[in-house]
Amino acid sequence: MQTSLIQNAHGDLVADAAYDFYGVRLATCSLDHRIKIWQLDESDGTWTAVADWKAHDAAVTKLSWAHPEFGPVLASSSFDRTVKVWEETPADGADQPQANGASAAASGPGTRWVERAVLADAKGSVRAVEFAPHQLGLKLATIASDNHLRVYECLEAPALTNWTLVEEADLPALPSTSASHPHTYAAPTPTQISGPPAADASLVANALQQQQQQPLTQRGAGSREADGGWSVSWCKERYWGEVLATCSGVSGVVKIIQLSPSRRPITLLSLDPSPPVDSGSISEDMTAPYAITSVSWAPSCGRSYHLVATGGRDGHVRVWKLRPSSPDDERMEGSDEAKWTGGVVGDFDHHKSAVGRVEWNITGTVLSSAGNDGRIRLWKATTGNIWRPAGYITVEQAEEQQKEGDVEMDDGNPGE
């Protein structure tokens, strides 16, 4: 496997990294308030910084590239409670109007990154931002620590200066399409690895506290912001309209949300990895679930079902299989709303520590995860659609690869 390593990319902890559509440019952000753009030299696999600027007044938490049909556009979220939209423009156009009088940042030869918009509706730190699939227009979904999902739309592209808040929803209060069974229980699977929970540590918020890892004193999540998780991922398939997977706070539940211009957002399905609780069997040693820190919706690539991956502070990487109801099922039930079902088809605890990020490849067939164990792990479905570890790589291996050539992935032994 070919890898690259960027040494000393930022002056502080790197919070996020995002490839552009073509995979030849990489945007990174950090607790140092800065964003950097890196360009790949395909001849030798090295990355060179072509842009570097102070983007926010606090730690930058997440980045997202817009589809290239809208041009070189980047969105960033931050602990300063804002989302900013940036555009790469010709250097001679740097005197064009910019949001709040912000200065442009030098980029590659003859270009600059210009701040086009500042979205400041959040009542807490903005933890996640993602552009919608291009067929839905130039839209942007954000989630802040106030547990609100906000969706913005730019109706005057390519100007990029005027964004309208078209949807805002309090995620914990969203109604479900089914009052009796809004949740799906994740039963154990052949891939599930059991074992005692490891000491956990928060990621971005904890790093703001002098990067001190604070192990939990008891199993389960706390109630502080540092114990929570916030993430959003759009469904990539145009047939189902505006559907997102979201998580917020310390609930440990992922909600599948449907947006519609004719009604308020609704919860199609709630993905809860904890077993159902019988009111007559609650014991004192039962504890709250761990927060989900990352959600990623896989490209469908012609499948009749959807795959959603989650990573949590409990160290688990889970793969969920979702099935929307067919039109025949909806007619039989006399309902115009799609009834979604889902369950876990893969559950792994190899990281043995908090999982910070999960991400799919372009075909939705290989899942990668990054954890506090310092490893990037790969997961893949084998014969019979059984999900298995496909190996992992560490920083040490990447450093060795730079000296000797391609690195060989370790086999992902459960004991690792």
Side-chain angles (χ1 to χ4, degrees):
M1 178 179 179
Q2 188 175 17
T3 65
S4 297
L5 181 64
I6 302 176
Q7 296 278 13
N8 304 316
H10 283 267
D12 209 327
L13 182 71
V14 176
D16 191 32
Y19 287 101
D20 72 348
F21 181 82
Y22 301 104
V24 295
R25 290 207 290 181
L26 179 70
T28 60
C29 62
S30 169
L31 303 189
D32 62 9
H33 308 182
R34 306 186 72 82
I35 294 175
K36 290 188 179 184
I37 307 296
W38 306 81
Q39 181 73 42
L40 174 65
D41 184 340
E42 297 185 66
S43 64
D44 58 9
T46 59
W47 294 85
T48 303
V50 295
D52 176 7
W53 71 97
K54 183 180 184 296
H56 289 268
D57 295 325
V60 188
T61 57
K62 204 79 168 62
L63 298 170
S64 179
W65 292 86
H67 190 275
E69 77 172 63
F70 302 111
V73 178
L74 185 70
S76 60
S77 61
S78 170
F79 273 84
D80 65 9
R81 301 188 175 188
T82 68
V83 172
K84 294 187 178 183
V85 179
W86 308 87
E87 181 184 22
E88 188 179 33
T89 65
D92 56 5
D95 57 350
Q96 297 177 8
Q98 300 172 45
N100 297 338
S103 60
S107 183
T111 63
R112 288 176 174 267
W113 283 92
V114 178
E115 181 185 291
R116 292 303 191 198
V118 179
L119 312 177
D121 299 286
K123 303 302 186 294
S125 55
V126 186
R127 299 303 192 88
V129 59
E130 183 172 292
F131 279 104
H134 66 98
Q135 64 265 19
L136 301 178
L138 191 52
K139 291 187 176 182
L140 193 63
T142 72
I143 292 183
S145 58
D146 59 7
N147 295 332
H148 278 234
L149 168 70
R150 295 176 177 87
V151 179
Y152 298 87
E153 183 172 13
C154 181
L155 300 175
E156 300 179 9
L160 298 178
T161 54
N162 295 320
W163 291 76
T164 302
L165 179 62
V166 295
E167 203 67 74
E168 181 173 0
D170 182 356
L171 290 175
L174 276 183
S176 171
T177 57
S178 172
S180 57
H181 294 287
H183 294 268
T184 295
Y185 166 56
T189 68
T191 62
Q192 190 163 353
I193 307 297
S194 60
D200 191 15
S202 57
L203 299 176
V204 175
N206 211 30
L208 285 180
Q209 303 168 9
Q210 293 76 45
Q211 301 181 23
Q212 295 176 350
Q213 291 187 341
Q214 299 177 357
L216 297 179
T217 58
Q218 61 179 8
R219 190 178 189 276
S223 58
R224 303 173 305 146
E225 182 176 339
D227 297 317
W230 293 265
S231 186
V232 61
S233 184
W234 290 85
C235 173
K236 313 303 188 290
E237 177 61 53
R238 75 168 62 221
Y239 178 81
W240 301 104
E242 298 184 33
V243 179
L244 309 93
T246 64
C247 64
S248 63
V250 297
S251 68
V253 174
V254 173
K255 289 191 173 184
I256 307 301
I257 308 297
Q258 184 177 57
L259 308 180
S260 172
S262 60
R263 67 183 179 197
R264 296 291 296 163
I266 58 172
T267 303
L268 295 174
L269 185 67
S270 293
L271 308 178
D272 188 352
S274 59
V277 177
D278 184 350
S279 59
S281 62
I282 297 178
S283 61
E284 293 183 359
D285 60 349
M286 296 187 69
T287 56
Y290 286 97
I292 299 297
T293 55
S294 181
V295 177
S296 183
W297 200 305
S300 63
C301 292
R303 287 187 292 261
S304 61
Y305 55 87
H306 299 275
L307 293 175
V308 173
T310 64
R313 296 197 184 279
D314 60 354
H316 281 252
V317 174
R318 295 181 177 91
V319 180
W320 300 79
K321 184 177 182 179
L322 312 184
R323 285 190 180 276
S325 61
S326 67
D328 291 339
D329 294 336
E330 294 169 23
R331 283 194 295 268
M332 290 178 62
E333 296 178 7
S335 172
D336 295 329
E337 297 177 346
K339 299 296 190 297
W340 290 51
T341 58
V344 168
V345 293
D347 189 345
F348 308 94
D349 68 349
H350 292 50
H351 283 288
K352 304 298 182 185
S353 59
V355 178
R357 182 76 176 271
V358 291
E359 193 71 42
W360 294 94
N361 68 342
I362 195 171
T363 58
T365 54
V366 179
L367 175 68
S368 62
S369 62
N372 280 3
D373 60 348
R375 290 181 169 134
I376 296 175
R377 298 179 181 271
L378 301 182
W379 318 93
K380 188 175 182 180
T382 58
T383 305
N385 285 328
I386 302 299
W387 285 85
R388 300 290 186 189
Y392 67 82
I393 186 171
T394 65
V395 173
E396 292 78 10
Q397 288 173 298
E399 291 175 336
E400 193 68 24
Q401 184 268 336
Q402 283 193 323
K403 302 175 183 177
E404 301 181 1
D406 289 356
V407 65
E408 293 187 6
M409 298 284 289
D410 285 299
D411 59 7
N413 190 315
E416 293 288 346

